[in-house]
Amino acid sequence: MKDIFDECDFGEFRLNSRIIRTGLWESQKEMGNLSPEIFLRYERLAKNHVGLINTELISMYPHDRFSEYSHSINSTGFIKEFKYLTGIVHQYGVPILAQLGFVNCNVNGRQNIDVNDLTIEDIRQIQSDYIVASKKIAFADFDGIQLNMGNNYFFSKVINPKENKRKDDYGGSTINRLRMILELIKVIKDSSDLHINCRINLDGDSLEVAKLLEKVGADSIQITKPSSPQYFTKDSGNKNILFDATDKIASEVDIPVILGGGLSDMASINELINSTNIEFVSMQRPFVYNPTFLSEWKSGSEVESLCNTCNNCYWKKTSTCHIVHEE
């Protein structure tokens, strides 16, 4: 039988467990720089049986909707500081990916550009900015990139047929709506050894999107929802609504597929990985409550996260737990 704490293959990586840590907000920066508390948090994550770490959001552009609560790829100390952070994580044999994304499209001197108003020059600028970002990420010794194409980030709008009404080669069919991202992935894969993880929303054409991403060179996929974690509701069978779709995608692609959230106890996760094609599960809020909880799970002293899913860390955009601080 499979177990959460199996040593297992994840593409080119050998993981210490099947649990993927998903980052979200960053609230412990000091004047835009990484603080000792941030380095300590990542060390606690890495030394306590997490399989793979995705960083908190690294914002592609300044003055973005969430740039106040995120790292910046354009920080003057980005390579130096994150190289120190990745070095800490790598001491424990844990791979770490840099999560990249943006919400507001502000390029070429224009603000809040709609998907349908992007010029070809704008598209090339976004692609160029990501390629430059990937080089910084490689210099900082990250193992890869998580392209945030889910939730309500800009790339999710590019993919979504309800948002993307373009009439050129970047709109219409699924492959056309993905074209900007497919072209980007191909260049990054041709010019680096970075692992590329794509975080995509559950949608009507998620399976087709996943297959196209795999074909062009994406190394793994995480399935999520456009809404906040508070709304990871269940269907009529009392089952997380991501389960069936993630299971289907995992059965039809040959790259690792991660279930994005919704589970926080050992029994449910072990049942899932033994009854479906899903082998990896991501978590965010349980790690905010306690970055070391997997060690308690492994020792048997706890079998369920004590996070009560109050969502204050989400709504208040913090990387720390308000409940813990109040106790």
Side-chain angles (χ1 to χ4, degrees):
M1 291 183 63
K2 298 174 187 174
D3 184 80
I4 290 173
F5 296 106
D6 289 337
E7 288 191 8
C8 53
D9 293 328
F10 184 94
E12 69 272 37
F13 305 130
R14 186 71 175 169
L15 304 190
N16 299 320
S17 77
R18 300 181 185 277
I19 304 300
I20 312 300
R21 183 270 194 166
T22 292
L24 193 56
W25 312 122
E26 185 54 79
S27 59
Q28 293 185 306
K29 296 178 294 182
E30 293 180 351
M31 302 297 291
N33 300 316
L34 303 190
S35 66
E37 290 79 12
I38 293 174
F39 293 122
L40 176 61
R41 186 195 325 145
Y42 276 87
E43 182 171 21
R44 294 175 75 196
L45 288 166
K47 69 192 294 186
N48 285 281
H49 304 291
V50 70
L52 180 146
I53 294 173
N54 284 307
T55 66
E56 277 79 24
L57 176 66
I58 298 172
S59 184
M60 280 294 298
Y61 298 113
H63 312 300
D64 193 16
R65 182 179 304 175
F66 299 130
S67 56
E68 182 180 351
Y69 318 108
S70 64
H71 301 294
S72 172
I73 193 67
N74 296 306
S75 168
T76 54
F78 180 89
I79 294 173
K80 180 180 179 180
E81 291 189 311
F82 275 96
K83 189 168 186 175
Y84 183 70
L85 186 148
T86 57
I88 291 173
V89 171
H90 287 152
Q91 288 180 29
Y92 300 95
V94 176
I96 179 169
L97 309 185
Q99 180 194 167
L100 278 177
F102 68 101
V103 178
N104 304 117
C105 187
N106 305 322
V107 296
N108 293 326
R110 302 163 65 207
Q111 303 295 309
N112 294 319
I113 309 172
D114 185 85
V115 171
N116 301 298
D117 295 328
L118 288 171
T119 65
I120 298 301
E121 181 184 6
D122 295 331
I123 291 171
R124 297 292 176 259
Q125 185 63 57
I126 293 168
Q127 291 172 323
S128 176
D129 291 340
Y130 266 88
I131 292 164
V132 171
S134 73
K135 294 186 181 301
K136 291 182 179 180
I137 285 165
F139 285 138
D141 288 341
F142 279 100
D143 299 287
I145 298 174
Q146 182 183 70
L147 297 178
N148 199 328
M149 302 157 50
N151 307 119
N152 288 304
Y153 288 87
F154 189 78
F155 279 171
S156 72
K157 300 172 185 176
V158 171
I159 299 170
N160 190 337
K162 295 179 181 178
E163 299 269 1
N164 185 338
K165 303 295 185 182
R166 298 176 67 95
K167 303 299 183 184
D168 61 3
D169 289 343
Y170 293 91
S173 65
T174 304
I175 191 169
N176 277 2
R177 285 181 276 111
L178 266 177
R179 189 178 301 277
M180 181 195 312
I181 300 160
L182 299 178
E183 291 172 341
L184 171 62
I185 291 173
K186 188 176 188 309
V187 173
I188 295 175
K189 293 303 294 184
D190 287 346
S191 60
S192 77
D193 295 324
L194 292 169
H195 179 108
I196 297 182
N197 171 268
C198 296
R199 185 171 172 179
I200 64 173
N201 286 334
L202 172 62
D203 210 338
D205 59 356
S206 301
L207 178 58
E208 185 180 2
V209 168
K211 288 182 175 181
L212 287 167
L213 291 170
E214 177 189 27
K215 185 175 181 179
V216 80
D219 298 290
S220 61
I221 292 170
Q222 179 172 325
I223 309 299
T224 187
K225 289 179 78 271
S227 55
S228 82
Q230 184 173 350
Y231 303 109
F232 274 57
T233 54
K234 298 182 179 181
D235 61 23
S236 58
N238 199 35
K239 183 189 299 183
N240 182 302
I241 60 177
L242 294 179
F243 284 7
D244 288 343
T246 305
D247 186 19
K248 176 70 171 175
I249 292 170
S251 71
E252 298 205 22
V253 298
D254 293 323
I255 56 176
V257 176
I258 306 164
L259 173 69
L263 291 177
S264 58
D265 68 278
M266 284 185 67
S268 296
I269 295 173
N270 276 327
E271 179 183 359
L272 179 82
I273 62 178
N274 281 289
S275 61
T276 70
N277 295 287
I278 301 168
E279 296 191 48
F280 304 96
V281 173
S282 76
M283 297 182 184
Q284 187 262 327
R285 292 170 296 175
F287 284 113
V288 175
Y289 180 84
N290 177 12
T292 71
F293 78 91
L294 287 178
S295 286
E296 280 87 68
W297 282 21
K298 189 172 176 65
S299 70
S301 60
E302 292 178 9
V303 294
E304 183 174 359
S305 170
L306 299 180
C307 170
N308 68 4
T309 63
C310 68
N311 285 300
N312 275 316
C313 60
Y314 178 84
W315 295 115
K316 296 182 180 181
K317 307 294 188 291
T318 64
S319 51
T320 56
C321 180
H322 296 265
I323 302 299
V324 171
H325 287 180
E326 291 170 2
E327 291 177 350

